[in-house]
Amino acid sequence: MVMPRYMFFHLLFSLSALQASDQEQVVLANGEWLPYLSKSLKHYGVGSHIVTESFAEVGIAVKYVFLPWKRAYESSKKGKYHGTLIWSPSDERKQLFLFSDSVVDGTSVLFKRKSHQFKWQTYEDLTDYRIGGILGYSYQLEDNPNIRIIRIPSEIEAFKMLAKQHIDIFPSDLDVGYATLHKSLTEDVVSVIDHHLKPYNVTSYHLIISKKVKNAQALIDKFNKGLSKLKMDGRYDRFFQDSRLGRYQIREVEPSKSE
């Protein structure tokens, strides 16, 4: 018997819908930490983009739920979500979660004016410089008692002071710093600032999957496989390059003010 044409297409549509619904999915708690994670950025930020593409490589779709950080962590800990991103290792977290390979290596660097060339090996080499720092933040540089931090209300103001030579150095996370520059500052500031190539600290950040999830280890293994492919084929580095050029965000520049 020949199947009527409308029944054939109905069956084809039903099979396609079934295959789509059968795709494995993980639900992850996410948060706001520009440029790595944000509901307002393309692909939800470079960190989220890496996680999404890594899972896609192994046939897993990702759904993000954006929450305050504490709630994201506590909900994931209880197994309400498969996991959360991105977190640095700690003894407590390792008791509750399985950690992926590093998604982001958060590199802390010294931002400077492009015209300011200097070499340093130890913090003692930085004691003669005017170093800016955000109010309420603590900096590893302060381990040296001879370093005095000039406190500034915000990263935006710190970069303005750096451009105007009111400070010599501004320590910040590499990608957070460039996200601030490209999102919130004018080209006359952005164009004169870069960073010293020697980092002063590196912290790894990971996808973490709750140990209460029954297939937690399998998810981590699959994710690591996809992440490895991203790193090998160059997409991982390209995503970060795009982020540092401001391509994940809509530029919101403060109007210039005459001095």
Side-chain angles (χ1 to χ4, degrees):
M1 185 176 70
V2 178
M3 181 183 294
R5 190 173 180 182
Y6 77 89
M7 289 184 65
F8 172 77
F9 284 112
H10 177 74
L11 178 61
L12 189 63
F13 175 79
S14 298
L15 287 171
S16 298
L18 179 62
Q19 289 170 351
S21 64
D22 281 350
Q23 183 181 19
E24 189 175 359
Q25 183 185 71
V26 294
V27 182
L28 302 174
N30 210 330
E32 292 289 326
W33 186 28
L34 274 73
Y36 301 124
L37 316 166
S38 179
K39 198 172 183 179
S40 66
L41 295 176
K42 293 179 182 178
H43 305 291
Y44 302 131
V46 63
S48 302
H49 196 187
I50 289 166
V51 170
T52 301
E53 290 298 309
S54 296
F55 270 125
E57 282 295 323
V58 292
I60 299 175
V62 180
K63 177 182 177 181
Y64 293 114
V65 179
F66 280 83
L67 299 168
W69 284 110
K70 184 175 181 181
R71 200 166 129 212
Y73 181 82
E74 292 297 323
S75 297
S76 300
K77 180 177 74 174
K78 296 171 184 175
K80 182 176 180 180
Y81 307 109
H82 289 89
T84 178
L85 63 157
I86 47 179
W87 298 80
S88 59
S90 72
D91 291 340
E92 177 197 326
R93 292 170 190 164
K94 287 180 178 179
Q95 293 294 319
L96 301 167
F97 294 90
L98 296 179
F99 277 69
S100 73
D101 292 341
S102 178
V103 174
V104 169
D105 291 322
T107 304
S108 298
V109 298
L110 304 176
F111 282 90
K112 63 180 185 64
R113 293 182 305 282
K114 289 180 179 178
S115 60
H116 183 194
Q117 302 298 323
F118 63 95
K119 294 180 181 180
W120 73 279
Q121 292 299 321
T122 68
Y123 294 159
E124 190 64 31
D125 298 326
L126 304 173
T127 55
D128 291 334
Y129 296 123
R130 298 167 298 172
I131 301 175
I134 306 304
L135 283 168
Y137 284 30
S138 60
Y139 292 89
Q140 196 177 53
L141 300 172
E142 294 176 288
D143 291 347
N144 185 307
N146 296 319
I147 286 180
R148 183 175 67 88
I149 301 291
I150 300 170
R151 296 294 170 178
I152 303 166
S154 71
E155 288 190 330
I156 293 173
E157 292 304 317
F159 280 123
K160 287 179 179 179
M161 290 181 66
L162 186 59
K164 294 172 185 172
Q165 303 186 47
H166 297 325
I167 58 174
D168 302 309
I169 292 170
F170 174 51
S172 175
D173 177 274
L174 175 68
D175 290 283
V176 172
Y178 278 112
T180 301
L181 281 167
H182 287 292
K183 180 181 180 182
S184 303
L185 289 151
T186 53
E187 186 60 28
D188 60 328
V189 173
V190 176
S191 64
V192 299
I193 290 175
D194 62 7
H195 67 279
H196 197 288
L197 294 179
K198 177 181 169 61
Y200 72 86
N201 188 45
V202 178
T203 302
S204 64
Y205 296 96
H206 308 253
L207 167 70
I208 57 177
I209 300 293
S210 172
K211 289 185 178 180
K212 290 189 178 291
V213 174
K214 64 179 181 180
N215 60 338
Q217 188 61 59
L219 284 175
I220 286 291
D221 292 342
K222 289 178 180 179
F223 175 80
N224 286 342
K225 182 179 178 181
L227 178 62
S228 176
K229 185 168 183 180
L230 254 65
K231 291 181 177 180
M232 289 178 64
D233 67 18
R235 279 178 289 169
Y236 181 89
D237 290 335
R238 177 165 54 81
F239 291 167
F240 275 105
Q241 183 181 22
D242 286 346
S243 178
R244 290 164 191 167
L245 292 172
R247 292 174 180 164
Y248 280 81
Q249 56 196 336
I250 299 171
R251 189 173 169 83
E252 297 175 7
V253 178
E254 286 191 344
S256 297
K257 296 178 182 178
S258 56
E259 295 302 316

